[in-house]
Structures are given as structure tokens and as C-alpha cells.
Amino acid sequence: MLPPETFRITPDQAMREMQDFGARLTRGLQTLGDLGEIDVGATAKDVVYREGKMVLYRFRPLARELRRVPVMITYALVNRPYMIDLQEDRSLVRGMLKGGLDVYLIDWGYPDGGDRFLSLDDYINGYMDRCVDVIRRRHALDKINLLGICQGGTFSLCYAALHPEKVRNLITTVTPVDFHTPDNLLSRWVRHLDVDLLVDTLGNIPGELLNWTYLSLKPFRLTGQKYLDMVDQLESPAKAKSFVRMEKWIFDSPDQAGEAFRQFTKDFYQRNALIKGEVSIGGHPVDLTRVAMPVLNIYAADDHLVPPAASRVLGDYVGTDDYTALEFPGGHIGLYVSGKSQATIPPAICRWLSER
């Protein structure tokens, strides 16, 4: 046990610490004032297909030789997909491009009142399927590779079960599969939500409401401690810009189409129907045993939004003999933006695909 004097702070020490913190905060505010415009999305890309607010992008290659089979990334309906291409040294996309992959991305856009009745059938059997067909035609291929992120991973999993003839390899990242693991705090909250009353009252679900729900899962860390720690980062303009860029992404939260939110909440969070084989998309049952293509499942050991156990079970339900699990030692977002992830995740994806 440490001696009591270890924790003793004299008034003079407290005053010096407060003065030092105030001085650093003053310098940090000056740094923030000098940052200028905060740009996001580091890699050049082109629109190859557009439908309503949804846009399919193709990133411009960064390698001389491209793999023959492209990868289509499906992001969640929550937040914006530029998180995976936040800045040059923190970009899953750039890592994949440098590894020779041909990378496409679905951007869902910002739903408004006109999208109120979009369902999971519209998203998965509609938008996703048409994007897959666009890419298949462009490359004269029967099958392409899919990579899903969080809820987009669940969408990709459902798509692969419904349309296995169009999927060569499936990669899921921080993807919830079992929504009722004991450590899933978000699921415990959502299970008691009157989602019919919420959707019937609000129509689309405000992104700001969802965002503060996610922040409330770790309130002291995400709404308090982080901003105290920020003062240290503001000593460096580069670190300050990275911090503000991340903040911009966190609070860039699109609303969610009401009907899709209703179905996803009821079927996945409240009924945990995916692993029971009881999810139906557009009248077609989602049978995970039909996911017979190779699967790479990447999850994060310290994920508070999608606990590792919620993802790890995927191997018990899919129908493939070629299943690989990869645990990343970090959190939900760190898997995409941390320095550690840049050196591990894109190379692992490229290597796994090259072997298939």
C-alpha cells in the first residue's frame, strides 16, 4: 500500500497545477484558433453510381497492380463513412489500396423525411444489391468481395446469406451477431425501448439522439475525461487537428430512416432473431448457414459498443469451413483510426484475400 503522503497535495502544489493547466489551455485555444478548415476524407474517389441520397464511390488506386476481384465496403447507417479514410496516416482505405485492392464504398447519405419508410429490404435487397450488380458489371465478374463495418457488417452478413451467388469472400468488422451477450450494455437499454412509440412519434430517428445514447455508454470517459486530456494534445497543431477531425466525425450523425430503425431494433436488438434464423428481409428468411463463402471476422477486444463476444460467435452460425477470426487489441473506432491498426488491419485483410 502506498503511504498517505503519496496522495497529499499542498495548497501551493494545487495552485501551481491550476496555473500550469490554465497556461496550457490558453496556448491550446490559440492553437485551435489557428487550425483553419478541418478537412476529412484523405483519398481521391469517383462516383460510379448514385440512387437518391445513396452514392457508390470507387477510390482511385494507389498500387500499380490491382487484384482482380474488388471489395465493396458497406458502412453502418450511424455516423459517416469518412471515418475509414479520416486522414492520410489514419486510413483503412489507403492501407487496402496500397495493398493492391480495388475499393468501393457505399455512402448512405443523410436521410430526410422522404426516406421515412425505407426498410431493411430497401437497404439490403435494394441499394446494396444494385451496387453489387454495378460492380459486377464493371469488372465482368459473377462475384465480388464484401467488407462490412459494424451495422454494415450485419447488413453484409444478411446480404451474403440472401445472395451467396454474388459474394466471393466476406469480411466483417466489429459486427454484432449475438445481440444478447451479457456484457452488451447498449442492447440491455434498447431491449426495453418502445420502438413503435418512438418511430410513430418522431418518424426518422434523430442522429443527435442516437449519438448521445452512444456517448452515455461511457459518460465520464467520452464527455469529460477526454476533454481534459485534450489540453495536452493541443500543444501540437498536428495532434490538435487530428483531435478536432475526430470530433467532427463523432458529431456528424445522420438521422436514421424510421422503418429501418424499427425493424433493426426489434429483430436484432430486442428479439436477437439473427442467430435464431428468424430474421426475414423483404419476405426472404436470412439463413446464416447459406454463408458458405470464406469469412474473415475482425473484432476489437475492448469494444464497448459491440462486445467481442457479440462478434466472436459468428463462426458458430455460418455455413463455411473457411472461417478466420482476428482479434484487434483496441476499441470499436480504434480498429480503424489508431496508429496500431494501420500497421495490422489493412495488411491482414490484403493477405487473407490474396490467399483466396
Side-chain angles (χ1 to χ4, degrees), residues 20-311:
D20 176 64
F21 184 83
R24 287 188 290 126
L25 180 59
T26 300
R27 292 195 299 272
L29 292 174
Q30 180 64 47
T31 303
L32 285 175
D34 295 337
L35 286 183
E37 185 177 351
I38 303 301
D39 56 328
V40 292
T43 309
K45 57 185 182 297
D46 301 297
V47 175
V48 297
Y49 179 65
R50 187 189 296 273
E51 183 179 344
K53 299 174 184 65
M54 188 280 300
V55 178
L56 177 65
Y57 290 102
R58 182 194 184 212
F59 289 94
R60 295 181 187 174
L62 295 178
R64 288 188 176 182
E65 293 187 9
L66 289 179
R67 309 275 176 85
R68 180 167 172 265
V69 183
V71 181
M72 185 182 86
I73 298 177
T74 302
Y75 197 75
L77 301 179
V78 181
N79 289 105
R80 300 285 293 139
Y82 58 75
M83 185 269 289
I84 58 173
D85 187 36
L86 200 62
Q87 58 191 52
E88 281 200 11
D89 60 346
R90 296 176 188 272
S91 171
L92 171 72
V93 168
R94 293 183 74 82
M96 293 171 64
L97 291 171
K98 289 177 180 175
L101 296 179
D102 199 348
V103 182
Y104 290 79
L105 169 70
I106 293 179
D107 182 341
W108 299 116
Y110 293 87
D112 60 21
D115 302 307
R116 157 74 173 79
F117 294 101
L118 287 178
S119 65
L120 293 186
D121 183 38
D122 294 313
Y123 280 105
I124 295 172
N125 291 321
Y127 293 131
M128 277 187 74
D129 191 42
R130 288 189 284 276
C131 286
V132 168
D133 286 345
V134 166
I135 298 171
R136 291 194 312 140
R137 283 195 297 272
R138 286 174 61 93
H139 294 265
L141 291 170
D142 293 330
K143 300 180 179 182
I144 65 168
N145 299 320
L146 297 187
L147 188 155
I149 294 174
C150 190
Q151 184 190 37
T154 308
F155 281 15
S156 299
L157 193 54
C158 292
Y159 182 86
L162 293 166
H163 306 276
E165 73 282 1
K166 299 183 182 181
V167 183
R168 176 160 176 159
N169 298 292
L170 173 65
I171 301 166
T172 54
T173 62
V174 291
T175 293
V177 178
D178 180 352
F179 288 74
H180 284 186
T181 55
D183 54 350
N184 194 330
L185 181 58
L186 179 61
S187 170
R188 287 179 178 274
W189 287 358
V190 172
R191 269 180 254 175
H192 303 289
L193 179 70
D194 187 341
V195 65
D196 287 328
L197 178 62
L198 185 68
V199 174
D200 292 344
T201 303
L202 297 178
N204 287 345
I205 305 304
E208 189 174 9
L209 171 64
L210 297 170
N211 202 35
W212 283 106
T213 301
Y214 302 135
L215 292 176
S216 298
L217 292 169
K218 296 178 75 172
F220 298 109
R221 174 69 192 126
L222 298 178
T223 65
Q225 185 65 47
K226 181 176 71 171
Y227 296 105
L228 290 175
D229 296 342
M230 172 192 71
V231 175
D232 295 329
Q233 298 189 51
L234 297 185
E235 297 280 334
S236 158
K239 290 182 178 179
K241 200 157 192 173
S242 293
F243 181 88
V244 175
R245 190 176 280 122
M246 197 65 206
E247 288 294 288
K248 179 176 181 176
W249 173 79
I250 290 172
F251 292 97
D252 189 356
S253 305
D255 297 345
Q256 288 201 26
E259 286 309 308
F261 180 86
R262 188 200 308 266
Q263 185 180 359
F264 195 77
T265 302
K266 281 187 168 183
D267 285 354
F268 292 81
Y269 274 101
Q270 296 184 338
R271 297 178 51 231
N272 201 22
L274 180 62
I275 59 173
K276 299 175 183 174
E278 297 175 356
V279 168
S280 178
I281 306 290
H284 304 286
V286 176
D287 179 359
L288 293 181
T289 63
R290 283 166 54 85
V291 179
M293 69 290 298
V295 174
L296 172 61
N297 183 24
I298 305 174
Y299 55 90
D302 302 319
D303 196 333
H304 71 289
L305 287 168
V306 181
S311 295

Side-chain angles (χ1 to χ4, degrees), residues 308-324:
S311 295
R312 210 158 33 209
V313 296
L314 178 59
D316 297 336
Y317 294 96
V318 290
T320 181
D321 294 327
D322 187 352
Y323 174 82
T324 306

Side-chain angles (χ1 to χ4, degrees), residues 332-353:
H332 190 78
I333 305 304
L335 190 145
Y336 307 99
V337 303
S338 70
K340 184 166 45 182
S341 71
Q342 308 307 308
T344 56
I345 299 302
I349 291 172
C350 294
R351 186 167 54 249
W352 185 82
L353 284 174

Side-chain angles (χ1 to χ4, degrees), residues 11-25:
D12 287 346
Q13 286 176 316
M15 181 61 71
R16 283 196 297 273
E17 288 192 15
M18 291 174 62
Q19 288 175 336
D20 176 64
F21 184 83
R24 287 188 290 126
L25 180 59

